């Protein structure tokens, strides 16, 4: 890269004298375009400066011709191709010129690579036919483009014949005073090797983006001529023309061009019929991150962004969604629904197809303008239930004891192993959560479908099960039809013919060529997912490094931490939270809570500028718990014995027999009072620190924070009132808050980068489980199994205080 830059500079600055060049001068070559190479769009796709190809993201083709020697006697075809596979961006051009029955054809191929800031390119041109008449020889071209910010573009280009005796160097500079395409001021200077330094040719001018898709240009040349031009974009097609005049305004000739390729936003879109609907399939699993290979699942962020992009696209009239086979947790469902609700505010339509719908799927579908149901589908609206299986009596009968310590009454983590029913406190918080889920769905459905409260209560408490025909009669849906009928039903709804855009076609349709300069500011979305342990689940050490990397990256202006965790090891949580504390001092940190962000998941949420939750998020659970199983007669009942030697009074605290499959020890004995006192002191200190940190982070007194702690679970909606959460919203809401707090200009735009790096492969859980046993490693899939993580966490941190949710709350996490 440095060598190419040096060669370009040398070509610009050296000046031994030779009479013939063997190639066309820069300003003549550039006659087909309206500005210097770096000033507007993508130049001539590497024909003028090959480094411009570095910024080509989509296929583009330009055909241009000039009237200087008569119609079509000078014409060029220019093609820019994006990178694919191992091939970088590539450009091709063919120039034809005819004078006095002599014809020259020049072929050129160029390529480039680089980053958003710096590009390097090289090209080779080969003239054929009447080359002697036109004094043309094969030539090399080298070029660089440097764009350190959205305000400045610097270019260097050097061209030389193959024997390196004749060459030309060009420097071009472009400035955008407002940091966007509204106004660009440019200038360039070209010097051949037979010229003195101050005898070179130059031009200067401007480009104005008057309206979307309309650009005006003016350019003055040092050889006493000037051009004026106008360019129109009609989406994937564009046309342009410019006239050339002498200093006394005498008309010389016109140049014309037609472009086909990448889509550009334009004025006609505002008036064009939105004759397309985006088709979204939700039948596959939805994750936060996909594996790098062999994974056809969806991610939450990509679907939220897709809906947001549809909302901003004038050519798409709405979205149609197939929910058949959908299996997404309740928080993600609400987040997608909320994004669709925002989409409808723009006037676009939402159509949702259902076949067999439960409470959650119908809640999601109710946001639609049109609900289409399969003629043999069903809707079940039974309400919500959450319950536990209590094993206390069974463990006692088989001779296993269980000792529980907790801070405080709502931290009910081990009640299922010690008792036979819910405690009053646990029943209270369970009921509060179920009531919240029920009322959320009830209120949303009533608002969207226009039912009154009595109607809805009848649906749930009297009817419950609806056939397709019943659902239509009760107004739960709008029409019956199969998925193959949806297109026709939308045509009827909008009163016009529409086309459904799916998968790759939809992505290409939404993609827009970006002509901004420099590297856009970034927002890092970091996923803190799973139980928090050092090397498994959330992988605390690795996640802390990701947070540090995002903090030290100057292009990252804000961080959104997506917390999907019921907690875990206090030490592991502290390693992550320490990095969050450091980061918050340098740039905004916004928390987006998923379906569960409680106990240790809330510990991570504290160190932020804002906490965003869904109304059905499970959060809070600010408390500490620990417990262990011990022999209470099982050895005598089944006939096994244990024995050991030790050195150290407490050496046998963790000694016991591993339980089959679970790989957890059954301790040989109870703890004595001294040992229990040590554990209680550890837990008390941890709890007190937890509450102190809550009070500090949320601006409360200790006693005030303690009253909303005590191990209590809160829904996202109730957590707002308790002062534990700042606002309700989805992942997009959190990103928007991050953008605002970072001071990022929305018009300038921004990029999203995600951490951690996704894993390579996905294996089936069952196979991975046995393989991990055989080769004594933990497979990615096995370590992501929440129940297995939970049991391993308890085993690894036996007798240690944990910031983790109760086992019975895992059904909120799983579903």
């Amino acid at each position: 890269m440095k060598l190419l830059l040096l060669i370009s500079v040398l070509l610009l600055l050296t000046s031994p004298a030779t009479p013939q060049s063997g190639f066309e001068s820069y300003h003549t070559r550039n006659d087909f375009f309206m500005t210097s190479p770096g000033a507007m769009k993508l130049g001539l796709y590497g024909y003028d400066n090959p480094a411009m190809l570095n910024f080509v993201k989509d296929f583009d083709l330009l055909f241009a011709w000039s009237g200087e020697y008569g119609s079509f006697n000078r014409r060029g075809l220019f093609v820019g191709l994006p990178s694919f596979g191992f091939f970088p961006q590539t450009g091709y051009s063919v120039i034809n010129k005819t004078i006095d029955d002599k014809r020259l054809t020049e072929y050129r191929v160029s390529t480039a690579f680089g980053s958003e800031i710096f590009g390097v390119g090289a090209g080779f041109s080969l003239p054929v036919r009447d080359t002697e008449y036109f004094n043309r020889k094969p030539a090399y071209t080298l070029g660089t483009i440097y764009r350190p910010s959205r305000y400045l573009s610097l270019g260097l280009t050097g061209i030389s014949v193959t024997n390196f005796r004749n060459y030309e160097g060009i420097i071009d500079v472009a400035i955008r005073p407002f940091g966007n395409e509204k106004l660009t001021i440019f200038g360039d200077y070209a010097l051949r090797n037979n010229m003195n330094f101050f005898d070179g040719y130059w031009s200067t001018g401007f480009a104005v983006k008057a309206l979307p898709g309309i650009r005006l240009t003016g350019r003055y040349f040092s050889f006493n001529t000037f051009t004026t031009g106008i360019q129109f974009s009609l989406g994937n097609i564009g046309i342009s023309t410019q006239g050339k005049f002498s200093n006394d305004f005498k008309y010389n000739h016109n140049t014309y061009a037609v472009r086909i390729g990448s889509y550009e936003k334009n004025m006609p879109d505002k008036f064009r019929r939105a004759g397309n609907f985006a088709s979204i399939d939700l039948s596959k699993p939805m994750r936060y991150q996909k594996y790098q290979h062999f994974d056809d699942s969806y991610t939450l962020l990509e679907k939220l962004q897709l809906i947001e992009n549809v909302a901003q696209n004038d050519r798409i009239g709405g979205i149609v969604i197939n929910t058949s086979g959908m299996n997404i947790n309740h928080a993600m469902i609400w987040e997608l629904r909320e994004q669709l609700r925002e989409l409808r505010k723009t006037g676009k339509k939402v159509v949702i197809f259902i076949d067999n719908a439960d409470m959650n799927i119908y809640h999601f579908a109710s946001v639609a303008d049109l609900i289409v149901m399969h003629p043999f589908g069903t809707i079940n609206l039974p309400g919500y239930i959450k319950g536990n299986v209590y094993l206390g009596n069974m463990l006692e009968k088989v001779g296993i004891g269980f000792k529980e310590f907790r801070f405080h009454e709502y931290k009910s983590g081990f009640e299922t192993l010690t008792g036979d029913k819910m405690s009053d406190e646990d029943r209270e918080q369970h009921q509060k959560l179920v009531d919240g889920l029920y009322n959320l769905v009830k209120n949303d459905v009533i608002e969207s479908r226009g039912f009154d409260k009595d109607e809805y209560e009848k649906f749930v408490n009297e009817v419950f099960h609806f056939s397709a025909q019943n659902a239509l009669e009760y107004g739960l849906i709008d029409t019956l039809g199969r998925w193959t009928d949806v297109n026709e039903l939308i045509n009827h709804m909008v009163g016009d013919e529409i086309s459904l855009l799916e998968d790759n076609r939809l992505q290409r349709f939404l993609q827009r060529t970006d002509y901004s300069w420099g590297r856009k500011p970034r927002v890092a979305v970091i996923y803190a997912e799973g139980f928090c342990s050092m090397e498994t689940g959330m992988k605390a050490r690795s996640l802390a490094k990701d947070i540090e990397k995002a903090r030290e990256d100057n292009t990252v202006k804000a961080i959104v931490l997506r917390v999907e965790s019921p907690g875990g090891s206090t030490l592991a949580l502290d390693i992550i939270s320490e990095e969050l504390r450091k980061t918050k001092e340098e740039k905004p940190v916004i928390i987006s809570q998923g379906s569960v962000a409680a106990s240790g998941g809330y510990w991570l949420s504290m160190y932020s500028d804002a906490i965003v939750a869904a109304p059905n998020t499970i959060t809070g659970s600010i408390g500490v718990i620990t417990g262990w199983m011990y022999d209470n007669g099982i050895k005598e009942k089944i006939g096994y014995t244990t024995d050991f030697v030790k050195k150290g009074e407490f050496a046998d605290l963790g000694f016991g027999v591993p339980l089959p499959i679970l790989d957890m020890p059954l301790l040989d004995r109870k703890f004595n009072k001294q040992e229990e006192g040590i554990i209680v002191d550890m837990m008390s200190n941890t709890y007190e620190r937890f509450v102190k940190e809550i009070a500090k982070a949320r601006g409360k007194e200790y006693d005030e924070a303690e009253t909303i702690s005590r191990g209590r679970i809160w829904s996202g909606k109730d957590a707002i009132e308790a002062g534990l959460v700042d606002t309700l919203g989805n992942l997009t809401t959190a990103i928007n808050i991050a953008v605002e707090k970072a001071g990022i200009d929305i018009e300038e735009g921004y990029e999203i980068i995600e951490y951690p790096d996704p894993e390579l492969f996905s294996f089936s859980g069952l196979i991975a489980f046995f393989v991990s046993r055989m080769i004594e490693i933990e497979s990615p899939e096995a370590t992501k199994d929440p129940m297995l993580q939970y049991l391993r966490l308890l085993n690894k941190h036996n007798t240690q205080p944990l910031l983790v949710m109760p086992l019975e709350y895992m059904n909120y996490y799983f579903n």
Side-chain angles (χ1 to χ4, degrees), residues 355 357 373 377-381 455-456 458-460 462-472 474 476:
D355 45 24
M373 185 173 180
T378 60
I379 297 175
N380 291 315
L381 303 177
E455 281 183 291
Y456 183 86
K458 177 183 177 181
F459 295 154
V460 176
E462 296 183 26
V463 184
F464 152 61
H465 177 81
F466 299 85
S467 67
Q469 191 60 45
N470 293 148
L472 183 62
Y474 281 111
L476 291 171

PDB file of all heavy atoms in Angstrom, residues 355 357 373 377-381 455-456 458-460 462-472 474 476:
ATOM      1  N   ASP A 355     -51.883 -20.147  11.484  1.00  0.00           N
ATOM      2  CA  ASP A 355     -52.600 -21.414  11.348  1.00  0.00           C
ATOM      3  C   ASP A 355     -53.026 -21.902  12.729  1.00  0.00           C
ATOM      4  O   ASP A 355     -54.193 -21.856  13.075  1.00  0.00           O
ATOM      5  CB  ASP A 355     -51.800 -22.456  10.570  1.00  0.00           C
ATOM      6  CG  ASP A 355     -50.349 -22.550  10.988  1.00  0.00           C
ATOM      7  OD1 ASP A 355     -50.025 -22.184  12.135  1.00  0.00           O
ATOM      8  OD2 ASP A 355     -49.537 -23.002  10.168  1.00  0.00           O
ATOM      9  N   ALA A 357     -52.563 -20.921  16.553  1.00  0.00           N
ATOM     10  CA  ALA A 357     -52.056 -19.816  17.355  1.00  0.00           C
ATOM     11  C   ALA A 357     -52.402 -20.004  18.825  1.00  0.00           C
ATOM     12  O   ALA A 357     -53.529 -20.369  19.165  1.00  0.00           O
ATOM     13  CB  ALA A 357     -52.626 -18.491  16.856  1.00  0.00           C
ATOM     14  N   MET A 373     -56.261 -16.452   8.338  1.00  0.00           N
ATOM     15  CA  MET A 373     -56.130 -17.712   9.072  1.00  0.00           C
ATOM     16  C   MET A 373     -56.430 -18.893   8.153  1.00  0.00           C
ATOM     17  O   MET A 373     -57.359 -18.847   7.341  1.00  0.00           O
ATOM     18  CB  MET A 373     -57.081 -17.733  10.268  1.00  0.00           C
ATOM     19  CG  MET A 373     -56.931 -18.942  11.159  1.00  0.00           C
ATOM     20  SD  MET A 373     -57.938 -18.786  12.639  1.00  0.00           S
ATOM     21  CE  MET A 373     -57.547 -20.341  13.442  1.00  0.00           C
ATOM     22  N   GLY A 377     -57.190 -24.069  10.679  1.00  0.00           N
ATOM     23  CA  GLY A 377     -56.380 -23.676  11.823  1.00  0.00           C
ATOM     24  C   GLY A 377     -57.212 -23.508  13.079  1.00  0.00           C
ATOM     25  O   GLY A 377     -58.444 -23.595  13.066  1.00  0.00           O
ATOM     26  N   THR A 378     -56.528 -23.270  14.192  1.00  0.00           N
ATOM     27  CA  THR A 378     -57.202 -23.052  15.476  1.00  0.00           C
ATOM     28  C   THR A 378     -56.512 -21.929  16.228  1.00  0.00           C
ATOM     29  O   THR A 378     -55.331 -21.636  16.008  1.00  0.00           O
ATOM     30  CB  THR A 378     -57.183 -24.314  16.349  1.00  0.00           C
ATOM     31  OG1 THR A 378     -55.818 -24.685  16.611  1.00  0.00           O
ATOM     32  CG2 THR A 378     -57.918 -25.466  15.680  1.00  0.00           C
ATOM     33  N   ILE A 379     -57.267 -21.315  17.127  1.00  0.00           N
ATOM     34  CA  ILE A 379     -56.736 -20.336  18.075  1.00  0.00           C
ATOM     35  C   ILE A 379     -57.114 -20.804  19.475  1.00  0.00           C
ATOM     36  O   ILE A 379     -58.289 -21.089  19.736  1.00  0.00           O
ATOM     37  CB  ILE A 379     -57.280 -18.929  17.825  1.00  0.00           C
ATOM     38  CG1 ILE A 379     -56.855 -18.418  16.450  1.00  0.00           C
ATOM     39  CG2 ILE A 379     -56.781 -17.963  18.911  1.00  0.00           C
ATOM     40  CD1 ILE A 379     -57.455 -17.063  16.090  1.00  0.00           C
ATOM     41  N   ASN A 380     -56.139 -20.871  20.364  1.00  0.00           N
ATOM     42  CA  ASN A 380     -56.382 -21.222  21.759  1.00  0.00           C
ATOM     43  C   ASN A 380     -55.986 -20.055  22.647  1.00  0.00           C
ATOM     44  O   ASN A 380     -54.826 -19.609  22.604  1.00  0.00           O
ATOM     45  CB  ASN A 380     -55.595 -22.470  22.153  1.00  0.00           C
ATOM     46  CG  ASN A 380     -56.118 -23.713  21.480  1.00  0.00           C
ATOM     47  OD1 ASN A 380     -57.330 -23.930  21.424  1.00  0.00           O
ATOM     48  ND2 ASN A 380     -55.220 -24.525  20.956  1.00  0.00           N
ATOM     49  N   LEU A 381     -56.934 -19.570  23.455  1.00  0.00           N
ATOM     50  CA  LEU A 381     -56.690 -18.438  24.349  1.00  0.00           C
ATOM     51  C   LEU A 381     -57.010 -18.850  25.790  1.00  0.00           C
ATOM     52  O   LEU A 381     -58.012 -18.426  26.375  1.00  0.00           O
ATOM     53  CB  LEU A 381     -57.546 -17.237  23.933  1.00  0.00           C
ATOM     54  CG  LEU A 381     -57.364 -16.729  22.494  1.00  0.00           C
ATOM     55  CD1 LEU A 381     -58.325 -15.583  22.212  1.00  0.00           C
ATOM     56  CD2 LEU A 381     -55.920 -16.300  22.246  1.00  0.00           C
ATOM     57  N   GLU A 455     -65.836  -8.574  26.137  1.00  0.00           N
ATOM     58  CA  GLU A 455     -65.674  -9.499  25.005  1.00  0.00           C
ATOM     59  C   GLU A 455     -64.412 -10.334  25.171  1.00  0.00           C
ATOM     60  O   GLU A 455     -64.426 -11.560  24.990  1.00  0.00           O
ATOM     61  CB  GLU A 455     -65.602  -8.718  23.686  1.00  0.00           C
ATOM     62  CG  GLU A 455     -66.922  -8.254  23.138  1.00  0.00           C
ATOM     63  CD  GLU A 455     -66.741  -7.549  21.800  1.00  0.00           C
ATOM     64  OE1 GLU A 455     -66.174  -6.437  21.785  1.00  0.00           O
ATOM     65  OE2 GLU A 455     -67.169  -8.110  20.766  1.00  0.00           O
ATOM     66  N   TYR A 456     -63.329  -9.663  25.523  1.00  0.00           N
ATOM     67  CA  TYR A 456     -62.065 -10.379  25.653  1.00  0.00           C
ATOM     68  C   TYR A 456     -62.138 -11.403  26.775  1.00  0.00           C
ATOM     69  O   TYR A 456     -61.664 -12.541  26.625  1.00  0.00           O
ATOM     70  CB  TYR A 456     -60.911  -9.403  25.909  1.00  0.00           C
ATOM     71  CG  TYR A 456     -59.573 -10.086  25.971  1.00  0.00           C
ATOM     72  CD1 TYR A 456     -58.846 -10.336  24.813  1.00  0.00           C
ATOM     73  CD2 TYR A 456     -59.040 -10.521  27.184  1.00  0.00           C
ATOM     74  CE1 TYR A 456     -57.626 -10.994  24.853  1.00  0.00           C
ATOM     75  CE2 TYR A 456     -57.821 -11.175  27.239  1.00  0.00           C
ATOM     76  CZ  TYR A 456     -57.121 -11.408  26.075  1.00  0.00           C
ATOM     77  OH  TYR A 456     -55.917 -12.073  26.120  1.00  0.00           O
ATOM     78  N   LYS A 458     -64.662 -12.954  27.804  1.00  0.00           N
ATOM     79  CA  LYS A 458     -65.481 -14.074  27.317  1.00  0.00           C
ATOM     80  C   LYS A 458     -64.648 -15.009  26.446  1.00  0.00           C
ATOM     81  O   LYS A 458     -64.766 -16.244  26.571  1.00  0.00           O
ATOM     82  CB  LYS A 458     -66.679 -13.537  26.525  1.00  0.00           C
ATOM     83  CG  LYS A 458     -67.557 -14.634  25.923  1.00  0.00           C
ATOM     84  CD  LYS A 458     -68.685 -14.045  25.098  1.00  0.00           C
ATOM     85  CE  LYS A 458     -69.500 -15.167  24.440  1.00  0.00           C
ATOM     86  NZ  LYS A 458     -70.599 -14.621  23.595  1.00  0.00           N
ATOM     87  N   PHE A 459     -63.830 -14.447  25.586  1.00  0.00           N
ATOM     88  CA  PHE A 459     -62.987 -15.275  24.725  1.00  0.00           C
ATOM     89  C   PHE A 459     -62.118 -16.226  25.555  1.00  0.00           C
ATOM     90  O   PHE A 459     -61.966 -17.400  25.239  1.00  0.00           O
ATOM     91  CB  PHE A 459     -62.069 -14.409  23.858  1.00  0.00           C
ATOM     92  CG  PHE A 459     -62.776 -13.534  22.865  1.00  0.00           C
ATOM     93  CD1 PHE A 459     -62.194 -12.360  22.415  1.00  0.00           C
ATOM     94  CD2 PHE A 459     -64.030 -13.877  22.379  1.00  0.00           C
ATOM     95  CE1 PHE A 459     -62.834 -11.552  21.495  1.00  0.00           C
ATOM     96  CE2 PHE A 459     -64.681 -13.072  21.455  1.00  0.00           C
ATOM     97  CZ  PHE A 459     -64.083 -11.913  21.020  1.00  0.00           C
ATOM     98  N   VAL A 460     -61.531 -15.697  26.637  1.00  0.00           N
ATOM     99  CA  VAL A 460     -60.584 -16.477  27.428  1.00  0.00           C
ATOM    100  C   VAL A 460     -61.296 -17.403  28.418  1.00  0.00           C
ATOM    101  O   VAL A 460     -60.937 -18.581  28.549  1.00  0.00           O
ATOM    102  CB  VAL A 460     -59.615 -15.543  28.186  1.00  0.00           C
ATOM    103  CG1 VAL A 460     -58.676 -16.340  29.085  1.00  0.00           C
ATOM    104  CG2 VAL A 460     -58.805 -14.711  27.199  1.00  0.00           C
ATOM    105  N   GLU A 462     -64.679 -18.233  28.670  1.00  0.00           N
ATOM    106  CA  GLU A 462     -65.885 -18.988  28.308  1.00  0.00           C
ATOM    107  C   GLU A 462     -65.688 -19.827  27.046  1.00  0.00           C
ATOM    108  O   GLU A 462     -66.124 -20.975  26.987  1.00  0.00           O
ATOM    109  CB  GLU A 462     -67.073 -18.033  28.112  1.00  0.00           C
ATOM    110  CG  GLU A 462     -67.477 -17.300  29.383  1.00  0.00           C
ATOM    111  CD  GLU A 462     -68.700 -16.410  29.162  1.00  0.00           C
ATOM    112  OE1 GLU A 462     -69.509 -16.706  28.251  1.00  0.00           O
ATOM    113  OE2 GLU A 462     -68.820 -15.403  29.888  1.00  0.00           O
ATOM    114  N   VAL A 463     -65.036 -19.272  26.061  1.00  0.00           N
ATOM    115  CA  VAL A 463     -64.900 -19.993  24.791  1.00  0.00           C
ATOM    116  C   VAL A 463     -63.582 -20.756  24.739  1.00  0.00           C
ATOM    117  O   VAL A 463     -63.564 -21.968  24.528  1.00  0.00           O
ATOM    118  CB  VAL A 463     -65.010 -19.030  23.593  1.00  0.00           C
ATOM    119  CG1 VAL A 463     -64.967 -19.815  22.282  1.00  0.00           C
ATOM    120  CG2 VAL A 463     -66.281 -18.207  23.694  1.00  0.00           C
ATOM    121  N   PHE A 464     -62.461 -20.048  24.882  1.00  0.00           N
ATOM    122  CA  PHE A 464     -61.103 -20.592  24.944  1.00  0.00           C
ATOM    123  C   PHE A 464     -60.606 -21.148  23.604  1.00  0.00           C
ATOM    124  O   PHE A 464     -59.591 -20.717  23.084  1.00  0.00           O
ATOM    125  CB  PHE A 464     -61.011 -21.639  26.058  1.00  0.00           C
ATOM    126  CG  PHE A 464     -59.987 -22.713  25.838  1.00  0.00           C
ATOM    127  CD1 PHE A 464     -58.637 -22.402  25.706  1.00  0.00           C
ATOM    128  CD2 PHE A 464     -60.349 -24.047  25.766  1.00  0.00           C
ATOM    129  CE1 PHE A 464     -57.688 -23.392  25.506  1.00  0.00           C
ATOM    130  CE2 PHE A 464     -59.405 -25.039  25.567  1.00  0.00           C
ATOM    131  CZ  PHE A 464     -58.070 -24.708  25.432  1.00  0.00           C
ATOM    132  N   HIS A 465     -61.300 -22.100  23.018  1.00  0.00           N
ATOM    133  CA  HIS A 465     -60.840 -22.755  21.789  1.00  0.00           C
ATOM    134  C   HIS A 465     -61.681 -22.280  20.605  1.00  0.00           C
ATOM    135  O   HIS A 465     -62.905 -22.317  20.661  1.00  0.00           O
ATOM    136  CB  HIS A 465     -60.964 -24.278  21.927  1.00  0.00           C
ATOM    137  CG  HIS A 465     -60.586 -25.011  20.675  1.00  0.00           C
ATOM    138  ND1 HIS A 465     -59.280 -25.271  20.319  1.00  0.00           N
ATOM    139  CD2 HIS A 465     -61.354 -25.516  19.671  1.00  0.00           C
ATOM    140  CE1 HIS A 465     -59.255 -25.921  19.166  1.00  0.00           C
ATOM    141  NE2 HIS A 465     -60.493 -26.091  18.754  1.00  0.00           N
ATOM    142  N   PHE A 466     -60.993 -21.861  19.535  1.00  0.00           N
ATOM    143  CA  PHE A 466     -61.690 -21.311  18.377  1.00  0.00           C
ATOM    144  C   PHE A 466     -61.250 -22.055  17.119  1.00  0.00           C
ATOM    145  O   PHE A 466     -60.048 -22.161  16.832  1.00  0.00           O
ATOM    146  CB  PHE A 466     -61.358 -19.827  18.199  1.00  0.00           C
ATOM    147  CG  PHE A 466     -61.758 -18.963  19.357  1.00  0.00           C
ATOM    148  CD1 PHE A 466     -60.911 -18.823  20.454  1.00  0.00           C
ATOM    149  CD2 PHE A 466     -62.968 -18.297  19.363  1.00  0.00           C
ATOM    150  CE1 PHE A 466     -61.259 -18.030  21.523  1.00  0.00           C
ATOM    151  CE2 PHE A 466     -63.328 -17.496  20.431  1.00  0.00           C
ATOM    152  CZ  PHE A 466     -62.479 -17.368  21.527  1.00  0.00           C
ATOM    153  N   SER A 467     -62.216 -22.577  16.409  1.00  0.00           N
ATOM    154  CA  SER A 467     -61.930 -23.051  15.056  1.00  0.00           C
ATOM    155  C   SER A 467     -61.774 -21.836  14.160  1.00  0.00           C
ATOM    156  O   SER A 467     -62.050 -20.704  14.570  1.00  0.00           O
ATOM    157  CB  SER A 467     -63.064 -23.929  14.550  1.00  0.00           C
ATOM    158  OG  SER A 467     -64.253 -23.142  14.375  1.00  0.00           O
ATOM    159  N   ALA A 468     -61.320 -22.056  12.929  1.00  0.00           N
ATOM    160  CA  ALA A 468     -61.132 -20.933  12.010  1.00  0.00           C
ATOM    161  C   ALA A 468     -62.444 -20.193  11.784  1.00  0.00           C
ATOM    162  O   ALA A 468     -62.480 -18.949  11.782  1.00  0.00           O
ATOM    163  CB  ALA A 468     -60.563 -21.436  10.684  1.00  0.00           C
ATOM    164  N   GLN A 469     -63.530 -20.938  11.614  1.00  0.00           N
ATOM    165  CA  GLN A 469     -64.826 -20.306  11.361  1.00  0.00           C
ATOM    166  C   GLN A 469     -65.302 -19.531  12.589  1.00  0.00           C
ATOM    167  O   GLN A 469     -65.820 -18.418  12.475  1.00  0.00           O
ATOM    168  CB  GLN A 469     -65.867 -21.369  10.962  1.00  0.00           C
ATOM    169  CG  GLN A 469     -67.169 -20.795  10.430  1.00  0.00           C
ATOM    170  CD  GLN A 469     -66.974 -19.948   9.175  1.00  0.00           C
ATOM    171  OE1 GLN A 469     -66.248 -20.339   8.266  1.00  0.00           O
ATOM    172  NE2 GLN A 469     -67.613 -18.788   9.126  1.00  0.00           N
ATOM    173  N   ASN A 470     -65.105 -20.128  13.795  1.00  0.00           N
ATOM    174  CA  ASN A 470     -65.475 -19.412  15.024  1.00  0.00           C
ATOM    175  C   ASN A 470     -64.671 -18.127  15.166  1.00  0.00           C
ATOM    176  O   ASN A 470     -65.209 -17.073  15.549  1.00  0.00           O
ATOM    177  CB  ASN A 470     -65.223 -20.292  16.253  1.00  0.00           C
ATOM    178  CG  ASN A 470     -66.135 -21.486  16.316  1.00  0.00           C
ATOM    179  OD1 ASN A 470     -65.764 -22.542  16.814  1.00  0.00           O
ATOM    180  ND2 ASN A 470     -67.366 -21.350  15.812  1.00  0.00           N
ATOM    181  N   ALA A 471     -63.373 -18.217  14.899  1.00  0.00           N
ATOM    182  CA  ALA A 471     -62.518 -17.034  15.022  1.00  0.00           C
ATOM    183  C   ALA A 471     -62.980 -15.926  14.095  1.00  0.00           C
ATOM    184  O   ALA A 471     -62.956 -14.734  14.448  1.00  0.00           O
ATOM    185  CB  ALA A 471     -61.066 -17.409  14.718  1.00  0.00           C
ATOM    186  N   LEU A 472     -63.429 -16.286  12.893  1.00  0.00           N
ATOM    187  CA  LEU A 472     -63.929 -15.295  11.950  1.00  0.00           C
ATOM    188  C   LEU A 472     -65.222 -14.679  12.460  1.00  0.00           C
ATOM    189  O   LEU A 472     -65.422 -13.457  12.389  1.00  0.00           O
ATOM    190  CB  LEU A 472     -64.143 -15.944  10.581  1.00  0.00           C
ATOM    191  CG  LEU A 472     -64.595 -15.026   9.438  1.00  0.00           C
ATOM    192  CD1 LEU A 472     -63.529 -13.955   9.175  1.00  0.00           C
ATOM    193  CD2 LEU A 472     -64.861 -15.828   8.172  1.00  0.00           C
ATOM    194  N   TYR A 474     -66.256 -14.389  15.554  1.00  0.00           N
ATOM    195  CA  TYR A 474     -66.031 -13.551  16.743  1.00  0.00           C
ATOM    196  C   TYR A 474     -65.171 -12.315  16.432  1.00  0.00           C
ATOM    197  O   TYR A 474     -64.985 -11.467  17.306  1.00  0.00           O
ATOM    198  CB  TYR A 474     -65.349 -14.360  17.839  1.00  0.00           C
ATOM    199  CG  TYR A 474     -66.283 -15.258  18.621  1.00  0.00           C
ATOM    200  CD1 TYR A 474     -66.210 -16.641  18.502  1.00  0.00           C
ATOM    201  CD2 TYR A 474     -67.239 -14.729  19.488  1.00  0.00           C
ATOM    202  CE1 TYR A 474     -67.057 -17.477  19.224  1.00  0.00           C
ATOM    203  CE2 TYR A 474     -68.081 -15.545  20.213  1.00  0.00           C
ATOM    204  CZ  TYR A 474     -67.990 -16.926  20.076  1.00  0.00           C
ATOM    205  OH  TYR A 474     -68.829 -17.735  20.799  1.00  0.00           O
ATOM    206  N   LEU A 476     -61.961 -12.323  15.693  1.00  0.00           N
ATOM    207  CA  LEU A 476     -60.551 -12.472  16.065  1.00  0.00           C
ATOM    208  C   LEU A 476     -59.643 -12.377  14.846  1.00  0.00           C
ATOM    209  O   LEU A 476     -58.466 -12.013  14.963  1.00  0.00           O
ATOM    210  CB  LEU A 476     -60.327 -13.812  16.765  1.00  0.00           C
ATOM    211  CG  LEU A 476     -60.941 -13.969  18.157  1.00  0.00           C
ATOM    212  CD1 LEU A 476     -60.821 -15.406  18.631  1.00  0.00           C
ATOM    213  CD2 LEU A 476     -60.263 -13.034  19.150  1.00  0.00           C
TER     214      LEU A 476
END
